[in-house]
Coordinates of all heavy atoms in Angstrom, one line a residue:
Chain Y
F36 N -5.5 -23.0 -23.8 CA -4.5 -22.1 -23.2 C -4.0 -21.1 -24.3 O -3.9 -19.8 -24.0 CB -3.3 -22.9 -22.7 CG -2.1 -22.1 -22.2 CD1 -2.3 -21.5 -20.9 CD2 -1.0 -22.1 -22.9 CE1 -1.3 -20.8 -20.4 CE2 0.1 -21.3 -22.3 CZ -0.1 -20.7 -21.1
F75 N -1.3 0.3 -24.7 CA -1.5 0.1 -23.3 C -2.0 1.5 -22.8 O -1.3 2.5 -22.8 CB -0.3 -0.3 -22.6 CG 0.1 -1.7 -22.9 CD1 0.9 -2.0 -24.0 CD2 -0.4 -2.7 -22.1 CE1 1.2 -3.3 -24.3 CE2 -0.1 -4.1 -22.4 CZ 0.7 -4.3 -23.4
K83 N -15.9 0.7 -11.5 CA -16.4 -0.5 -12.3 C -17.1 0.0 -13.5 O -16.9 -0.5 -14.5 CB -17.4 -1.2 -11.4 CG -17.8 -2.6 -11.8 CD -18.8 -3.1 -10.7 CE -19.6 -4.2 -11.3 NZ -20.7 -4.5 -10.3
N114 N 2.1 7.4 -10.2 CA 2.9 6.3 -10.4 C 3.4 6.1 -11.8 O 4.5 5.9 -12.2 CB 2.3 5.0 -10.0 CG 1.8 5.0 -8.6 OD1 2.2 5.9 -7.8 ND2 1.0 4.1 -8.3
K127 N 15.4 5.6 -22.2 CA 14.5 4.8 -23.0 C 13.5 5.7 -23.8 O 12.4 6.0 -23.3 CB 13.7 3.9 -22.2 CG 13.1 2.7 -22.9 CD 12.5 1.7 -21.9 CE 11.9 0.6 -22.8 NZ 11.0 -0.2 -22.0
A132 N 6.5 2.1 -21.9 CA 5.5 1.1 -21.4 C 4.1 1.7 -21.6 O 3.2 1.0 -21.6 CB 5.8 0.8 -20.0
R224 N -18.9 11.7 11.9 CA -19.7 11.4 10.9 C -19.3 12.0 9.6 O -20.1 12.2 8.7 CB -21.2 11.8 11.3 CG -21.8 11.1 12.4 CD -21.8 9.5 12.1 NE -22.4 8.8 13.2 CZ -22.3 7.5 13.4 NH1 -21.6 6.8 12.5 NH2 -22.8 6.9 14.4
Q229 N -8.0 9.9 2.0 CA -6.7 10.4 2.5 C -5.9 11.0 1.4 O -5.6 10.3 0.4 CB -6.1 9.2 3.1 CG -4.7 9.6 3.7 CD -4.1 8.5 4.6 OE1 -4.7 7.5 4.9 NE2 -2.9 8.7 5.1
R282 N -13.4 8.2 12.8 CA -12.2 7.5 13.5 C -11.2 8.5 13.9 O -10.0 8.3 13.8 CB -11.6 6.5 12.6 CG -12.6 5.4 12.2 CD -12.1 4.2 11.5 NE -13.2 3.4 11.2 CZ -13.1 2.2 10.6 NH1 -12.0 1.9 10.0 NH2 -14.2 1.5 10.4
I285 N -7.7 9.3 12.6 CA -6.5 8.4 12.7 C -6.5 7.5 11.4 O -5.4 7.2 11.0 CB -6.7 7.6 14.0 CG1 -6.2 8.5 15.1 CG2 -5.6 6.4 13.9 CD1 -6.5 7.9 16.5
N286 N -7.6 7.2 10.9 CA -7.7 6.5 9.6 C -8.6 7.3 8.7 O -9.5 7.9 9.1 CB -8.2 5.1 9.8 CG -7.2 4.1 10.1 OD1 -6.3 3.9 9.3 ND2 -7.2 3.4 11.3
T289 N -9.6 5.2 1.5 CA -8.6 5.3 0.4 C -9.1 6.3 -0.7 O -8.2 7.1 -1.2 CB -8.4 4.0 -0.2 OG1 -9.0 3.0 0.6 CG2 -6.9 3.7 -0.3
M292 N -14.6 6.1 -3.7 CA -15.5 4.9 -3.8 C -15.7 4.3 -2.4 O -16.7 3.8 -2.1 CB -14.8 3.8 -4.7 CG -14.6 4.2 -6.1 SD -16.1 4.7 -6.9 CE -16.3 3.3 -8.0
D300 N -23.5 2.5 4.5 CA -23.5 1.8 5.9 C -23.9 2.8 6.9 O -24.2 2.5 8.1 CB -22.1 1.3 6.3 CG -21.7 0.2 5.5 OD1 -22.6 -0.5 5.0 OD2 -20.5 -0.1 5.4
E302 N -22.0 5.0 8.2 CA -21.0 5.3 9.1 C -20.7 6.9 9.1 O -20.4 7.4 10.1 CB -19.7 4.5 8.7 CG -19.8 3.2 9.3 CD -18.4 2.5 9.3 OE1 -17.4 3.2 9.9 OE2 -18.2 1.4 9.0
D304 N -22.2 10.7 7.1 CA -23.4 11.4 6.6 C -23.2 11.9 5.2 O -24.2 12.0 4.5 CB -23.8 12.5 7.6 CG -24.3 12.0 8.9 OD1 -24.8 10.9 8.9 OD2 -24.1 12.7 9.9
L323 N -26.3 2.3 -3.0 CA -26.8 3.4 -2.2 C -28.3 3.5 -2.2 O -29.0 3.1 -3.1 CB -26.3 4.8 -2.7 CG -24.9 5.2 -2.4 CD1 -24.6 6.6 -3.1 CD2 -24.6 5.3 -1.0
Chain F
S127 N -19.5 -1.4 10.8 CA -20.7 -1.7 10.1 C -20.7 -3.2 9.7 O -21.4 -3.6 8.8 CB -20.8 -0.9 8.8 OG -19.6 -1.0 8.0
R143 N -27.5 3.0 13.6 CA -26.5 3.2 12.6 C -25.1 2.8 13.1 O -25.0 2.6 14.4 CB -26.4 4.6 12.1 CG -26.2 5.6 13.3 CD -26.3 7.0 12.8 NE -25.3 7.4 11.8 CZ -25.1 8.5 11.3 NH1 -25.9 9.5 11.6 NH2 -24.2 8.7 10.4
P144 N -24.1 2.5 12.3 CA -22.8 2.0 12.9 C -22.3 3.0 13.9 O -22.3 4.2 13.7 CB -21.9 1.9 11.7 CG -22.8 1.9 10.6 CD -24.0 2.7 10.9
I150 N -11.0 -1.9 13.6 CA -10.3 -2.4 12.5 C -10.3 -1.3 11.4 O -11.4 -0.8 11.0 CB -10.9 -3.7 11.9 CG1 -9.9 -4.5 11.2 CG2 -12.2 -3.5 11.2 CD1 -10.4 -5.9 10.9
P151 N -9.2 -0.8 10.8 CA -7.9 -1.0 11.3 C -7.6 -0.1 12.5 O -8.1 1.0 12.6 CB -7.0 -0.6 10.2 CG -7.8 0.2 9.3 CD -9.2 0.1 9.6
S237 N -3.5 4.0 8.8 CA -3.0 4.7 7.6 C -2.2 5.9 7.9 O -1.6 6.5 7.1 CB -4.1 4.9 6.6 OG -5.0 5.8 7.2
T238 N -2.2 6.4 9.2 CA -1.5 7.6 9.5 C -0.6 7.4 10.6 O -0.9 7.8 11.8 CB -2.6 8.8 9.9 OG1 -3.3 8.4 11.0 CG2 -3.4 9.1 8.7
Q251 N 6.1 4.9 -5.2 CA 5.2 5.4 -6.2 C 5.2 6.9 -6.4 O 4.5 7.4 -7.3 CB 3.8 5.0 -5.6 CG 3.5 3.5 -5.7 CD 2.2 3.2 -5.0 OE1 1.7 3.9 -4.3 NE2 1.7 2.0 -5.3
Y338 N -28.1 -2.9 3.7 CA -27.8 -1.7 4.6 C -27.8 -2.0 6.0 O -28.5 -3.0 6.5 CB -28.8 -0.6 4.2 CG -28.8 -0.3 2.8 CD1 -29.9 -0.4 2.0 CD2 -27.6 0.3 2.2 CE1 -29.9 -0.1 0.7 CE2 -27.6 0.6 0.8 CZ -28.8 0.3 0.1 OH -28.7 0.7 -1.2
S368 N -2.9 -19.7 -15.6 CA -1.8 -20.2 -16.6 C -0.4 -19.9 -16.0 O 0.5 -20.8 -16.1 CB -1.9 -19.6 -18.0 OG -2.1 -18.2 -17.9
Q427 N 11.8 -6.0 -21.6 CA 10.5 -5.8 -21.9 C 9.4 -6.9 -21.6 O 8.2 -6.6 -21.5 CB 10.2 -5.3 -23.3 CG 10.5 -3.8 -23.5 CD 9.3 -3.0 -23.1 OE1 8.2 -3.4 -23.3 NE2 9.6 -1.8 -22.7
R512 N 0.8 -4.5 -16.4 CA 0.5 -5.2 -17.7 C 0.0 -6.5 -17.5 O -0.9 -7.0 -18.3 CB 1.8 -5.2 -18.5 CG 2.4 -3.9 -18.9 CD 1.9 -3.6 -20.3 NE 2.5 -2.3 -20.7 CZ 3.4 -2.2 -21.7 NH1 3.8 -3.3 -22.4 NH2 3.8 -1.0 -22.2
T525 N -9.3 -1.8 -1.6 CA -9.0 -0.5 -1.3 C -10.1 0.5 -1.8 O -10.1 1.6 -1.3 CB -7.6 0.0 -1.7 OG1 -7.5 -0.4 -3.2 CG2 -6.4 -0.7 -1.0
S526 N -10.8 0.0 -2.8 CA -11.8 0.9 -3.4 C -13.2 0.7 -2.6 O -14.1 1.4 -2.9 CB -11.9 0.9 -4.9 OG -12.5 -0.4 -5.2
R529 N -17.9 -3.4 -1.9 CA -17.9 -4.7 -1.1 C -18.5 -5.9 -1.9 O -18.0 -7.0 -1.8 CB -18.8 -4.5 0.1 CG -18.2 -3.8 1.1 CD -18.6 -4.1 2.5 NE -18.1 -3.1 3.5 CZ -18.8 -2.6 4.4 NH1 -20.0 -2.8 4.5 NH2 -18.2 -1.7 5.2
D531 N -18.2 -6.5 -5.2 CA -17.2 -7.0 -6.1 C -16.1 -7.7 -5.3 O -15.5 -8.7 -5.6 CB -16.5 -5.9 -6.9 CG -17.4 -5.5 -8.0 OD1 -18.5 -6.1 -8.2 OD2 -17.0 -4.6 -8.8

Side-chain angles (χ1 to χ4, degrees):
Chain Y
F36 177 73
F75 289 90
K83 194 176 156 191
N114 304 346
K127 194 174 182 196
R224 297 304 179 190
Q229 180 166 357
R282 297 186 183 179
I285 287 167
N286 270 299
T289 351
M292 299 300 252
D300 290 338
E302 281 202 41
D304 291 333
L323 277 180
Chain F
S127 55
R143 59 186 298 185
I150 199 169
S237 62
T238 58
Q251 292 172 341
Y338 304 116
S368 50
Q427 276 278 328
R512 294 262 182 119
T525 51
S526 68
R529 287 208 189 134
D531 282 1

